[in-house]
Every structure is written in C-alpha cells, then in structure tokens.
Amino acid sequence: MSNAPSHLRYTRSHEWIETISDGTYRIGISDHAQDLLGDMVFIELPEVGSTVSASDECAVVESVKAASDVYSPLSGEIIEINEALEDSPDLVNRDPYGDGWLFTVKASDSSELDELMSADEYVVLTNEE
Amino acid sequence: MGAKTALYQEHLSLGAKIVDFAGWDMPLHYGSQVEEHYKVRGEAGMFDVSHMTFVDLNGARVREFLRYLLANNVDRLQTYGRALYTCMLNEQGGVVDDLIVYFLDEERFRLVVNAGTHDKDMAWIERHATAYDVTVNEITDVALLAIQGPDARHKVHHLLSDVQREKAQALVPFNAVETEGFFISRTGYTGEDGYEVMIPRDQVVDFWRRLHKAGVHPVGLGARDTLRLEAGMDLYSAEMDEETSPLEAGLKWTVAWEPLDRDFIGRKALEPQYNATPARKLVGLILDDRGVLRSHQRVILDGEVIGKVTSGSFSPTLGKAIAFARVPFDVGERVLVEMRGKQLPARVVKPPFVRHGKACFE
C-alpha cells in the first residue's frame, strides 16, 4: 500500500496539496500515482506567473509507461516551479512528497481547499482502485 | 491469476511489480526499470524468461522439415549447438512468429518461440511436422534465465561446474552447449554479451539466488523492452505479425532466398516482392524534443499520415525517445510524429540505436 502523509490534502486525480503559508500551496503527485506511472522521464511544468483555474490541466508527467496530465487543485497564480525536475524527473519517483514537488500556487479562493480529500479519504480511494 | 514461473515467489520477495504478459504473471520491474536498464548496459542483469515456449523436434527428417518450415535456412547450421534467428511464415508471407532454432544433432533441433503465440505456434508446427514424421515435444520442466551485460558471462562462469565452465567459455556468439543438465547459449535480446541458460525447473531458484548474491541484478520486462529497442531488435506483434511481410519489418536478412530451389512456406508469396523495392520499410526514429514516442502514434509528412510507430519508448542510453516506425520506402531524413495533440519532428535513422553499451547517435 502506498503512503499518504496526513498533513496533506488530496484530489481524486492524485495530486497532493501542502499548505506553505496562508494562501500559498505546494502541489505534487501522490506516491500512489508515481507508483502506477513508473519511472518518470519528462516533466512539463506551467510558467511562473501564469494563472490557472481549479481542475485546469497545467502540467504533464511523462513516464516510461504513459503521459499523464496534472490538474491544478486550486485557482490562482503559479508562483514557483520545481526546476530541479528538468534534469532529474526521477525525483518524483524517489521523493513524491518532498523533492519531487511540482509547483506552488498562490490561491485566489482558499475555500476551494474544502473540496479536497483528507489523507484517510484518499487512502480509501486508492484502495478501491 | 495467470500462469507462474518457478521464480514467481523470488520476484515477489524482491519487490517486483507483477503484470500479465501473455497469460503469465511476470515482473515488470523491481523498483525502477530505468535503473535496471543501466545495470544491463553497464554491469550484469538477469531476466526470468521461463514463460517462453521451448520445443524439441526429433526425427530422421527434421532438417528437411525445418528447411520447409522456416524462412531462414537451417542448412546454415552445420556445427552442433549453432543457433539461427528466423521467421516462420504463413502461406501469404506474413509472420506466424519469430524464433531461435538450435542444431543439437542430425535428428534433434530445438526451437525457442514467443509466449504470446504459444498455441498457434504449436498447432502450426505440429500440423506441418506430420508429413515429415517429426515428433514435436514441448519442454515444460525447465526454466530459462537470460544473464546479460558486459560482466554477465564472467559472473555466470563462477557459478558453473568446471566442466560447464570450460564449455561455456569456449562458446562463440550464437552458439549453445548442453552440459550436465544445463543448456547454455551465448544469445540474448539486449544487444549485450551474455547467456541464456536453460535449467531444470527444480534447480532454478538456487541458481537465481546465487546469481543475485554474485551481484547480478534482477531485471523485468520493462527494461527488456527498452534494451531490445535500443539494440534494434524486432518484437513479434509490434514490428511484425501475420499481415506483415518480413521484408517490411527490417528482416530481409533473415529470409534465405538462395538456394533458389529451397521451397519454404511463404516463399511463393514473397517472390514478387523479394527483388522489388518494397512499398514500406521499418526505420528508426529519434525525438530530439521532450516527449516519448509510443506505439500507434501517427507519422506525418507534408500534412499526410505516412505511417505509424510500431514500438517506442524512452531510451535511457540516449536520454531521449526512440522508436521503430513503418513508413514509405522513400522516406527522407525527417518526419513529424503526432503525440498529445502536437506534431513533433523526429530524425529517421537506421537502427540499432545502441551498440555494445554505446549510443550510435547523438
């Protein structure tokens, strides 16, 4: 069974969301998602400064097995991306909740956070899959 | 629940991700298929390929039978243990399967055929064997391990008996020897040196563990596919099938046209094509942009679909995506490949992409 840290929130499409500070959130993909996809070979990230709406496709993680869209869980502005992934996409496999983070959003509507799942709910979802 | 090889529990205890392959529960990888790929290119890796089909053919007329059954000519096999890669064609010149045939003695040849085509291959071989009084015996009490990589032979030698070691060391590529219950063949599907070793089923777990202890890394089917793709080797059902001529699958070199009086199944159908320019051919593609070439992607030139990718993946050695594609014979040096709503330029090259661990292209 894959792990899902309890201090994070999750989406049905396997992104995780970490609160960095009030209104700023870091996004990545879950351990379950990276395990399903296998070795990452390319990560395409959004541009810093671009604005996204919740559930917009805003990144692509491409593994040996498949390319998969990453959806922004929150609306807002992309304020930082993980540039280390350009040369080391395998960070997503090795440390999906740490060095393998994808981007940071400055949320325009923090109430969207209420729609997200807790770790417990997410684990139930992944066990059903 | 699929069929399981004798090593299934070993795979589980090594943390393998198991997938269905042709009805078998096989290891896809043991953590990272890219790491496993590098191990084979740089050191030594071992693959459980016991799911493949092993067939012994016995009879006084077995050579005559194989001259007719196979598109390559078994008369190229004149010394014991010699191996030959060949296609087995249907009457239309399509490929029933590709296989390796070994010459064991004048009345005994061995075939190693694909797992995914087991039933139709067995039926096809048996159907044609009757007329030659050849008996067809599938061997099911063995396991097959492929040990591949620059250090592979050396590592295997240490685990063999003195007699086995001496015989293995003397093997030149594409030759095999039966010794003390082992069938040791200097062949493989990775482009690296190494062995494929057929071992009695009840001894394989012990041998696998000793290899592992000697530093040979377990490698799954994921890396097996990227290794063979880099090495420019076809995969049955991807590059060729019953509707595809070997002449359009980069396998003309395996069709022994001479002597002209050797009749083999599919020869008549290939006759008009053999000396003509084929309509299509199999080429290699390299993608310099970020993205991964994958099978079934469309190949585009001047706004028209001219072909498709038959196999594609990320090449760990080149650090970019590579593929085989079937395209018109007169294709130029560049095409576009459609992926995820975009058309990205790809270079047209002649495989292999990697030779003896070194990239053949930038």
PDB file of all heavy atoms in Angstrom, chain B residues 69-104:
ATOM      1  N   LEU B  69       9.809 -25.321 -43.117  1.00  0.00           N
ATOM      2  CA  LEU B  69       9.014 -24.573 -42.135  1.00  0.00           C
ATOM      3  C   LEU B  69       9.499 -23.133 -41.948  1.00  0.00           C
ATOM      4  O   LEU B  69       8.713 -22.225 -41.688  1.00  0.00           O
ATOM      5  CB  LEU B  69       9.053 -25.296 -40.779  1.00  0.00           C
ATOM      6  CG  LEU B  69       8.192 -24.693 -39.664  1.00  0.00           C
ATOM      7  CD1 LEU B  69       6.707 -25.025 -39.885  1.00  0.00           C
ATOM      8  CD2 LEU B  69       8.635 -25.193 -38.287  1.00  0.00           C
ATOM      9  N   LEU B  70      10.815 -22.920 -42.056  1.00  0.00           N
ATOM     10  CA  LEU B  70      11.412 -21.640 -41.643  1.00  0.00           C
ATOM     11  C   LEU B  70      11.943 -20.844 -42.831  1.00  0.00           C
ATOM     12  O   LEU B  70      12.470 -21.413 -43.789  1.00  0.00           O
ATOM     13  CB  LEU B  70      12.554 -21.904 -40.656  1.00  0.00           C
ATOM     14  CG  LEU B  70      12.164 -22.735 -39.418  1.00  0.00           C
ATOM     15  CD1 LEU B  70      13.401 -23.035 -38.576  1.00  0.00           C
ATOM     16  CD2 LEU B  70      11.095 -22.013 -38.592  1.00  0.00           C
ATOM     17  N   ALA B  71      11.829 -19.513 -42.743  1.00  0.00           N
ATOM     18  CA  ALA B  71      12.257 -18.656 -43.846  1.00  0.00           C
ATOM     19  C   ALA B  71      13.774 -18.530 -43.920  1.00  0.00           C
ATOM     20  O   ALA B  71      14.340 -18.344 -44.994  1.00  0.00           O
ATOM     21  CB  ALA B  71      11.628 -17.276 -43.704  1.00  0.00           C
ATOM     22  N   ASN B  72      14.452 -18.616 -42.786  1.00  0.00           N
ATOM     23  CA  ASN B  72      15.903 -18.695 -42.831  1.00  0.00           C
ATOM     24  C   ASN B  72      16.261 -20.155 -43.072  1.00  0.00           C
ATOM     25  O   ASN B  72      15.433 -21.048 -42.856  1.00  0.00           O
ATOM     26  CB  ASN B  72      16.519 -18.171 -41.530  1.00  0.00           C
ATOM     27  CG  ASN B  72      17.898 -17.557 -41.757  1.00  0.00           C
ATOM     28  OD1 ASN B  72      18.582 -17.895 -42.732  1.00  0.00           O
ATOM     29  ND2 ASN B  72      18.308 -16.670 -40.860  1.00  0.00           N
ATOM     30  N   ASN B  73      17.493 -20.410 -43.509  1.00  0.00           N
ATOM     31  CA  ASN B  73      17.839 -21.759 -43.947  1.00  0.00           C
ATOM     32  C   ASN B  73      18.647 -22.496 -42.888  1.00  0.00           C
ATOM     33  O   ASN B  73      19.778 -22.111 -42.581  1.00  0.00           O
ATOM     34  CB  ASN B  73      18.622 -21.673 -45.258  1.00  0.00           C
ATOM     35  CG  ASN B  73      18.814 -23.038 -45.885  1.00  0.00           C
ATOM     36  OD1 ASN B  73      18.451 -24.065 -45.299  1.00  0.00           O
ATOM     37  ND2 ASN B  73      19.387 -23.047 -47.076  1.00  0.00           N
ATOM     38  N   VAL B  74      18.053 -23.566 -42.337  1.00  0.00           N
ATOM     39  CA  VAL B  74      18.753 -24.329 -41.300  1.00  0.00           C
ATOM     40  C   VAL B  74      20.023 -25.004 -41.815  1.00  0.00           C
ATOM     41  O   VAL B  74      20.822 -25.489 -41.015  1.00  0.00           O
ATOM     42  CB  VAL B  74      17.847 -25.396 -40.629  1.00  0.00           C
ATOM     43  CG1 VAL B  74      16.832 -24.743 -39.714  1.00  0.00           C
ATOM     44  CG2 VAL B  74      17.201 -26.294 -41.653  1.00  0.00           C
ATOM     45  N   ASP B  75      20.218 -24.999 -43.126  1.00  0.00           N
ATOM     46  CA  ASP B  75      21.489 -25.529 -43.640  1.00  0.00           C
ATOM     47  C   ASP B  75      22.663 -24.620 -43.273  1.00  0.00           C
ATOM     48  O   ASP B  75      23.819 -24.995 -43.426  1.00  0.00           O
ATOM     49  CB  ASP B  75      21.416 -25.753 -45.146  1.00  0.00           C
ATOM     50  CG  ASP B  75      20.604 -27.006 -45.459  1.00  0.00           C
ATOM     51  OD1 ASP B  75      20.371 -27.811 -44.528  1.00  0.00           O
ATOM     52  OD2 ASP B  75      20.183 -27.181 -46.619  1.00  0.00           O
ATOM     53  N   ARG B  76      22.349 -23.426 -42.779  1.00  0.00           N
ATOM     54  CA  ARG B  76      23.408 -22.568 -42.231  1.00  0.00           C
ATOM     55  C   ARG B  76      23.917 -23.126 -40.899  1.00  0.00           C
ATOM     56  O   ARG B  76      24.926 -22.639 -40.372  1.00  0.00           O
ATOM     57  CB  ARG B  76      22.889 -21.145 -42.020  1.00  0.00           C
ATOM     58  CG  ARG B  76      22.670 -20.417 -43.343  1.00  0.00           C
ATOM     59  CD  ARG B  76      22.069 -19.027 -43.146  1.00  0.00           C
ATOM     60  NE  ARG B  76      21.996 -18.338 -44.429  1.00  0.00           N
ATOM     61  CZ  ARG B  76      21.424 -17.151 -44.610  1.00  0.00           C
ATOM     62  NH1 ARG B  76      20.885 -16.509 -43.581  1.00  0.00           N
ATOM     63  NH2 ARG B  76      21.404 -16.586 -45.795  1.00  0.00           N
ATOM     64  N   LEU B  77      23.195 -24.072 -40.356  1.00  0.00           N
ATOM     65  CA  LEU B  77      23.600 -24.687 -39.084  1.00  0.00           C
ATOM     66  C   LEU B  77      24.302 -26.009 -39.385  1.00  0.00           C
ATOM     67  O   LEU B  77      23.657 -26.998 -39.729  1.00  0.00           O
ATOM     68  CB  LEU B  77      22.368 -24.940 -38.204  1.00  0.00           C
ATOM     69  CG  LEU B  77      21.500 -23.718 -37.898  1.00  0.00           C
ATOM     70  CD1 LEU B  77      20.300 -24.110 -37.046  1.00  0.00           C
ATOM     71  CD2 LEU B  77      22.324 -22.646 -37.181  1.00  0.00           C
ATOM     72  N   GLN B  78      25.623 -26.010 -39.259  1.00  0.00           N
ATOM     73  CA  GLN B  78      26.369 -27.226 -39.586  1.00  0.00           C
ATOM     74  C   GLN B  78      27.188 -27.741 -38.410  1.00  0.00           C
ATOM     75  O   GLN B  78      27.745 -28.839 -38.489  1.00  0.00           O
ATOM     76  CB  GLN B  78      27.275 -26.990 -40.812  1.00  0.00           C
ATOM     77  CG  GLN B  78      26.495 -26.775 -42.118  1.00  0.00           C
ATOM     78  CD  GLN B  78      25.625 -27.963 -42.530  1.00  0.00           C
ATOM     79  OE1 GLN B  78      25.856 -29.104 -42.122  1.00  0.00           O
ATOM     80  NE2 GLN B  78      24.581 -27.707 -43.324  1.00  0.00           N
ATOM     81  N   THR B  79      27.295 -26.968 -37.340  1.00  0.00           N
ATOM     82  CA  THR B  79      28.029 -27.475 -36.170  1.00  0.00           C
ATOM     83  C   THR B  79      27.064 -27.556 -34.987  1.00  0.00           C
ATOM     84  O   THR B  79      26.159 -26.722 -34.850  1.00  0.00           O
ATOM     85  CB  THR B  79      29.211 -26.551 -35.806  1.00  0.00           C
ATOM     86  OG1 THR B  79      28.727 -25.220 -35.686  1.00  0.00           O
ATOM     87  CG2 THR B  79      30.285 -26.597 -36.879  1.00  0.00           C
ATOM     88  N   TYR B  80      27.279 -28.555 -34.140  1.00  0.00           N
ATOM     89  CA  TYR B  80      26.380 -28.783 -33.008  1.00  0.00           C
ATOM     90  C   TYR B  80      26.309 -27.553 -32.104  1.00  0.00           C
ATOM     91  O   TYR B  80      27.336 -26.964 -31.768  1.00  0.00           O
ATOM     92  CB  TYR B  80      26.851 -29.985 -32.181  1.00  0.00           C
ATOM     93  CG  TYR B  80      26.768 -31.299 -32.921  1.00  0.00           C
ATOM     94  CD1 TYR B  80      27.671 -32.330 -32.668  1.00  0.00           C
ATOM     95  CD2 TYR B  80      25.779 -31.516 -33.887  1.00  0.00           C
ATOM     96  CE1 TYR B  80      27.595 -33.540 -33.349  1.00  0.00           C
ATOM     97  CE2 TYR B  80      25.697 -32.714 -34.570  1.00  0.00           C
ATOM     98  CZ  TYR B  80      26.598 -33.725 -34.304  1.00  0.00           C
ATOM     99  OH  TYR B  80      26.525 -34.905 -34.978  1.00  0.00           O
ATOM    100  N   GLY B  81      25.075 -27.195 -31.750  1.00  0.00           N
ATOM    101  CA  GLY B  81      24.886 -26.078 -30.830  1.00  0.00           C
ATOM    102  C   GLY B  81      24.685 -24.749 -31.510  1.00  0.00           C
ATOM    103  O   GLY B  81      24.332 -23.757 -30.864  1.00  0.00           O
ATOM    104  N   ARG B  82      24.899 -24.702 -32.821  1.00  0.00           N
ATOM    105  CA  ARG B  82      24.770 -23.430 -33.541  1.00  0.00           C
ATOM    106  C   ARG B  82      23.307 -22.969 -33.545  1.00  0.00           C
ATOM    107  O   ARG B  82      22.392 -23.780 -33.675  1.00  0.00           O
ATOM    108  CB  ARG B  82      25.287 -23.625 -34.960  1.00  0.00           C
ATOM    109  CG  ARG B  82      25.293 -22.394 -35.794  1.00  0.00           C
ATOM    110  CD  ARG B  82      26.706 -21.821 -35.981  1.00  0.00           C
ATOM    111  NE  ARG B  82      26.610 -20.556 -36.691  1.00  0.00           N
ATOM    112  CZ  ARG B  82      26.986 -19.382 -36.184  1.00  0.00           C
ATOM    113  NH1 ARG B  82      27.528 -19.320 -34.979  1.00  0.00           N
ATOM    114  NH2 ARG B  82      26.845 -18.280 -36.866  1.00  0.00           N
ATOM    115  N   ALA B  83      23.099 -21.654 -33.414  1.00  0.00           N
ATOM    116  CA  ALA B  83      21.752 -21.085 -33.360  1.00  0.00           C
ATOM    117  C   ALA B  83      21.495 -20.196 -34.565  1.00  0.00           C
ATOM    118  O   ALA B  83      22.435 -19.636 -35.155  1.00  0.00           O
ATOM    119  CB  ALA B  83      21.581 -20.271 -32.080  1.00  0.00           C
ATOM    120  N   LEU B  84      20.226 -20.040 -34.921  1.00  0.00           N
ATOM    121  CA  LEU B  84      19.836 -19.215 -36.069  1.00  0.00           C
ATOM    122  C   LEU B  84      18.544 -18.479 -35.722  1.00  0.00           C
ATOM    123  O   LEU B  84      17.604 -19.074 -35.190  1.00  0.00           O
ATOM    124  CB  LEU B  84      19.615 -20.123 -37.288  1.00  0.00           C
ATOM    125  CG  LEU B  84      19.284 -19.455 -38.625  1.00  0.00           C
ATOM    126  CD1 LEU B  84      20.531 -18.767 -39.191  1.00  0.00           C
ATOM    127  CD2 LEU B  84      18.770 -20.504 -39.625  1.00  0.00           C
ATOM    128  N   TYR B  85      18.512 -17.174 -36.017  1.00  0.00           N
ATOM    129  CA  TYR B  85      17.282 -16.390 -35.842  1.00  0.00           C
ATOM    130  C   TYR B  85      16.491 -16.460 -37.141  1.00  0.00           C
ATOM    131  O   TYR B  85      17.059 -16.306 -38.227  1.00  0.00           O
ATOM    132  CB  TYR B  85      17.632 -14.939 -35.507  1.00  0.00           C
ATOM    133  CG  TYR B  85      16.423 -14.025 -35.480  1.00  0.00           C
ATOM    134  CD1 TYR B  85      15.499 -14.087 -34.443  1.00  0.00           C
ATOM    135  CD2 TYR B  85      16.188 -13.123 -36.509  1.00  0.00           C
ATOM    136  CE1 TYR B  85      14.382 -13.265 -34.426  1.00  0.00           C
ATOM    137  CE2 TYR B  85      15.077 -12.291 -36.503  1.00  0.00           C
ATOM    138  CZ  TYR B  85      14.176 -12.366 -35.458  1.00  0.00           C
ATOM    139  OH  TYR B  85      13.071 -11.552 -35.456  1.00  0.00           O
ATOM    140  N   THR B  86      15.212 -16.686 -37.039  1.00  0.00           N
ATOM    141  CA  THR B  86      14.408 -16.847 -38.250  1.00  0.00           C
ATOM    142  C   THR B  86      12.944 -16.487 -38.007  1.00  0.00           C
ATOM    143  O   THR B  86      12.470 -16.505 -36.871  1.00  0.00           O
ATOM    144  CB  THR B  86      14.477 -18.304 -38.758  1.00  0.00           C
ATOM    145  OG1 THR B  86      13.660 -18.444 -39.926  1.00  0.00           O
ATOM    146  CG2 THR B  86      14.010 -19.296 -37.705  1.00  0.00           C
ATOM    147  N   CYS B  87      12.263 -16.189 -39.102  1.00  0.00           N
ATOM    148  CA  CYS B  87      10.806 -16.091 -39.051  1.00  0.00           C
ATOM    149  C   CYS B  87      10.200 -17.397 -39.537  1.00  0.00           C
ATOM    150  O   CYS B  87      10.803 -18.132 -40.314  1.00  0.00           O
ATOM    151  CB  CYS B  87      10.306 -14.966 -39.966  1.00  0.00           C
ATOM    152  SG  CYS B  87      10.651 -13.325 -39.342  1.00  0.00           S
ATOM    153  N   MET B  88       9.005 -17.658 -39.043  1.00  0.00           N
ATOM    154  CA  MET B  88       8.202 -18.765 -39.524  1.00  0.00           C
ATOM    155  C   MET B  88       7.017 -18.086 -40.207  1.00  0.00           C
ATOM    156  O   MET B  88       6.276 -17.334 -39.564  1.00  0.00           O
ATOM    157  CB  MET B  88       7.776 -19.591 -38.295  1.00  0.00           C
ATOM    158  CG  MET B  88       6.926 -20.785 -38.539  1.00  0.00           C
ATOM    159  SD  MET B  88       6.975 -21.883 -37.071  1.00  0.00           S
ATOM    160  CE  MET B  88       5.924 -20.998 -35.909  1.00  0.00           C
ATOM    161  N   LEU B  89       6.890 -18.288 -41.526  1.00  0.00           N
ATOM    162  CA  LEU B  89       5.896 -17.531 -42.300  1.00  0.00           C
ATOM    163  C   LEU B  89       4.652 -18.362 -42.569  1.00  0.00           C
ATOM    164  O   LEU B  89       4.704 -19.597 -42.553  1.00  0.00           O
ATOM    165  CB  LEU B  89       6.507 -17.110 -43.645  1.00  0.00           C
ATOM    166  CG  LEU B  89       7.813 -16.305 -43.589  1.00  0.00           C
ATOM    167  CD1 LEU B  89       8.285 -15.967 -45.001  1.00  0.00           C
ATOM    168  CD2 LEU B  89       7.630 -15.030 -42.773  1.00  0.00           C
ATOM    169  N   ASN B  90       3.556 -17.654 -42.869  1.00  0.00           N
ATOM    170  CA  ASN B  90       2.373 -18.352 -43.370  1.00  0.00           C
ATOM    171  C   ASN B  90       2.416 -18.345 -44.904  1.00  0.00           C
ATOM    172  O   ASN B  90       3.340 -17.783 -45.503  1.00  0.00           O
ATOM    173  CB  ASN B  90       1.084 -17.748 -42.795  1.00  0.00           C
ATOM    174  CG  ASN B  90       0.937 -16.264 -43.130  1.00  0.00           C
ATOM    175  OD1 ASN B  90       1.460 -15.791 -44.149  1.00  0.00           O
ATOM    176  ND2 ASN B  90       0.241 -15.522 -42.283  1.00  0.00           N
ATOM    177  N   GLU B  91       1.406 -18.959 -45.526  1.00  0.00           N
ATOM    178  CA  GLU B  91       1.410 -19.086 -46.996  1.00  0.00           C
ATOM    179  C   GLU B  91       1.369 -17.721 -47.679  1.00  0.00           C
ATOM    180  O   GLU B  91       1.808 -17.573 -48.809  1.00  0.00           O
ATOM    181  CB  GLU B  91       0.184 -19.898 -47.459  1.00  0.00           C
ATOM    182  CG  GLU B  91       0.073 -21.305 -46.872  1.00  0.00           C
ATOM    183  CD  GLU B  91       1.108 -22.276 -47.427  1.00  0.00           C
ATOM    184  OE1 GLU B  91       1.879 -21.869 -48.326  1.00  0.00           O
ATOM    185  OE2 GLU B  91       1.137 -23.427 -46.948  1.00  0.00           O
ATOM    186  N   GLN B  92       0.845 -16.717 -46.979  1.00  0.00           N
ATOM    187  CA  GLN B  92       0.736 -15.365 -47.552  1.00  0.00           C
ATOM    188  C   GLN B  92       2.015 -14.557 -47.361  1.00  0.00           C
ATOM    189  O   GLN B  92       2.095 -13.402 -47.752  1.00  0.00           O
ATOM    190  CB  GLN B  92      -0.441 -14.615 -46.925  1.00  0.00           C
ATOM    191  CG  GLN B  92      -1.827 -15.199 -47.225  1.00  0.00           C
ATOM    192  CD  GLN B  92      -2.105 -16.499 -46.484  1.00  0.00           C
ATOM    193  OE1 GLN B  92      -1.769 -16.640 -45.304  1.00  0.00           O
ATOM    194  NE2 GLN B  92      -2.675 -17.473 -47.183  1.00  0.00           N
ATOM    195  N   GLY B  93       3.000 -15.144 -46.717  1.00  0.00           N
ATOM    196  CA  GLY B  93       4.251 -14.434 -46.483  1.00  0.00           C
ATOM    197  C   GLY B  93       4.223 -13.566 -45.234  1.00  0.00           C
ATOM    198  O   GLY B  93       5.161 -12.817 -44.973  1.00  0.00           O
ATOM    199  N   GLY B  94       3.139 -13.656 -44.451  1.00  0.00           N
ATOM    200  CA  GLY B  94       3.090 -12.965 -43.158  1.00  0.00           C
ATOM    201  C   GLY B  94       3.828 -13.774 -42.107  1.00  0.00           C
ATOM    202  O   GLY B  94       4.166 -14.943 -42.336  1.00  0.00           O
ATOM    203  N   VAL B  95       4.095 -13.163 -40.970  1.00  0.00           N
ATOM    204  CA  VAL B  95       4.931 -13.816 -39.963  1.00  0.00           C
ATOM    205  C   VAL B  95       4.051 -14.494 -38.899  1.00  0.00           C
ATOM    206  O   VAL B  95       3.297 -13.824 -38.193  1.00  0.00           O
ATOM    207  CB  VAL B  95       5.883 -12.797 -39.293  1.00  0.00           C
ATOM    208  CG1 VAL B  95       6.810 -13.504 -38.311  1.00  0.00           C
ATOM    209  CG2 VAL B  95       6.697 -12.042 -40.345  1.00  0.00           C
ATOM    210  N   VAL B  96       4.152 -15.816 -38.811  1.00  0.00           N
ATOM    211  CA  VAL B  96       3.451 -16.559 -37.756  1.00  0.00           C
ATOM    212  C   VAL B  96       4.140 -16.292 -36.417  1.00  0.00           C
ATOM    213  O   VAL B  96       3.504 -16.078 -35.395  1.00  0.00           O
ATOM    214  CB  VAL B  96       3.431 -18.073 -38.060  1.00  0.00           C
ATOM    215  CG1 VAL B  96       2.776 -18.850 -36.918  1.00  0.00           C
ATOM    216  CG2 VAL B  96       2.721 -18.352 -39.376  1.00  0.00           C
ATOM    217  N   ASP B  97       5.474 -16.303 -36.453  1.00  0.00           N
ATOM    218  CA  ASP B  97       6.264 -15.976 -35.264  1.00  0.00           C
ATOM    219  C   ASP B  97       7.721 -15.821 -35.684  1.00  0.00           C
ATOM    220  O   ASP B  97       8.108 -16.250 -36.770  1.00  0.00           O
ATOM    221  CB  ASP B  97       6.142 -17.083 -34.195  1.00  0.00           C
ATOM    222  CG  ASP B  97       6.525 -16.585 -32.794  1.00  0.00           C
ATOM    223  OD1 ASP B  97       6.771 -15.371 -32.640  1.00  0.00           O
ATOM    224  OD2 ASP B  97       6.584 -17.402 -31.867  1.00  0.00           O
ATOM    225  N   ASP B  98       8.509 -15.193 -34.809  1.00  0.00           N
ATOM    226  CA  ASP B  98       9.962 -15.227 -34.986  1.00  0.00           C
ATOM    227  C   ASP B  98      10.523 -16.094 -33.863  1.00  0.00           C
ATOM    228  O   ASP B  98       9.916 -16.212 -32.791  1.00  0.00           O
ATOM    229  CB  ASP B  98      10.583 -13.826 -35.020  1.00  0.00           C
ATOM    230  CG  ASP B  98      10.464 -13.069 -33.700  1.00  0.00           C
ATOM    231  OD1 ASP B  98       9.537 -13.357 -32.906  1.00  0.00           O
ATOM    232  OD2 ASP B  98      11.285 -12.173 -33.459  1.00  0.00           O
ATOM    233  N   LEU B  99      11.652 -16.720 -34.110  1.00  0.00           N
ATOM    234  CA  LEU B  99      12.160 -17.708 -33.162  1.00  0.00           C
ATOM    235  C   LEU B  99      13.658 -17.928 -33.336  1.00  0.00           C
ATOM    236  O   LEU B  99      14.256 -17.457 -34.300  1.00  0.00           O
ATOM    237  CB  LEU B  99      11.396 -19.035 -33.340  1.00  0.00           C
ATOM    238  CG  LEU B  99      11.443 -19.666 -34.738  1.00  0.00           C
ATOM    239  CD1 LEU B  99      12.604 -20.645 -34.861  1.00  0.00           C
ATOM    240  CD2 LEU B  99      10.135 -20.396 -35.026  1.00  0.00           C
ATOM    241  N   ILE B 100      14.211 -18.649 -32.378  1.00  0.00           N
ATOM    242  CA  ILE B 100      15.593 -19.109 -32.489  1.00  0.00           C
ATOM    243  C   ILE B 100      15.554 -20.625 -32.643  1.00  0.00           C
ATOM    244  O   ILE B 100      14.840 -21.311 -31.899  1.00  0.00           O
ATOM    245  CB  ILE B 100      16.401 -18.772 -31.213  1.00  0.00           C
ATOM    246  CG1 ILE B 100      16.388 -17.277 -30.930  1.00  0.00           C
ATOM    247  CG2 ILE B 100      17.829 -19.310 -31.329  1.00  0.00           C
ATOM    248  CD1 ILE B 100      17.510 -16.495 -31.511  1.00  0.00           C
ATOM    249  N   VAL B 101      16.301 -21.129 -33.608  1.00  0.00           N
ATOM    250  CA  VAL B 101      16.403 -22.580 -33.791  1.00  0.00           C
ATOM    251  C   VAL B 101      17.845 -22.999 -33.513  1.00  0.00           C
ATOM    252  O   VAL B 101      18.785 -22.347 -33.954  1.00  0.00           O
ATOM    253  CB  VAL B 101      15.928 -23.012 -35.205  1.00  0.00           C
ATOM    254  CG1 VAL B 101      16.645 -22.265 -36.322  1.00  0.00           C
ATOM    255  CG2 VAL B 101      16.088 -24.525 -35.403  1.00  0.00           C
ATOM    256  N   TYR B 102      17.983 -24.085 -32.735  1.00  0.00           N
ATOM    257  CA  TYR B 102      19.298 -24.636 -32.390  1.00  0.00           C
ATOM    258  C   TYR B 102      19.462 -26.012 -33.034  1.00  0.00           C
ATOM    259  O   TYR B 102      18.534 -26.833 -33.001  1.00  0.00           O
ATOM    260  CB  TYR B 102      19.418 -24.826 -30.864  1.00  0.00           C
ATOM    261  CG  TYR B 102      19.431 -23.557 -30.068  1.00  0.00           C
ATOM    262  CD1 TYR B 102      18.256 -23.054 -29.516  1.00  0.00           C
ATOM    263  CD2 TYR B 102      20.630 -22.866 -29.836  1.00  0.00           C
ATOM    264  CE1 TYR B 102      18.268 -21.890 -28.754  1.00  0.00           C
ATOM    265  CE2 TYR B 102      20.643 -21.699 -29.078  1.00  0.00           C
ATOM    266  CZ  TYR B 102      19.457 -21.221 -28.541  1.00  0.00           C
ATOM    267  OH  TYR B 102      19.479 -20.077 -27.789  1.00  0.00           O
ATOM    268  N   PHE B 103      20.653 -26.257 -33.549  1.00  0.00           N
ATOM    269  CA  PHE B 103      21.005 -27.561 -34.106  1.00  0.00           C
ATOM    270  C   PHE B 103      21.672 -28.372 -32.995  1.00  0.00           C
ATOM    271  O   PHE B 103      22.778 -28.040 -32.569  1.00  0.00           O
ATOM    272  CB  PHE B 103      21.949 -27.331 -35.285  1.00  0.00           C
ATOM    273  CG  PHE B 103      22.590 -28.568 -35.850  1.00  0.00           C
ATOM    274  CD1 PHE B 103      21.872 -29.747 -36.020  1.00  0.00           C
ATOM    275  CD2 PHE B 103      23.918 -28.541 -36.255  1.00  0.00           C
ATOM    276  CE1 PHE B 103      22.468 -30.877 -36.558  1.00  0.00           C
ATOM    277  CE2 PHE B 103      24.532 -29.664 -36.799  1.00  0.00           C
ATOM    278  CZ  PHE B 103      23.804 -30.841 -36.949  1.00  0.00           C
ATOM    279  N   LEU B 104      20.993 -29.407 -32.517  1.00  0.00           N
ATOM    280  CA  LEU B 104      21.560 -30.201 -31.420  1.00  0.00           C
ATOM    281  C   LEU B 104      22.246 -31.460 -31.951  1.00  0.00           C
ATOM    282  O   LEU B 104      23.361 -31.773 -31.558  1.00  0.00           O
ATOM    283  CB  LEU B 104      20.468 -30.549 -30.406  1.00  0.00           C
ATOM    284  CG  LEU B 104      19.771 -29.327 -29.793  1.00  0.00           C
ATOM    285  CD1 LEU B 104      18.725 -29.759 -28.766  1.00  0.00           C
ATOM    286  CD2 LEU B 104      20.775 -28.385 -29.140  1.00  0.00           C
TER     287      LEU B 104
END
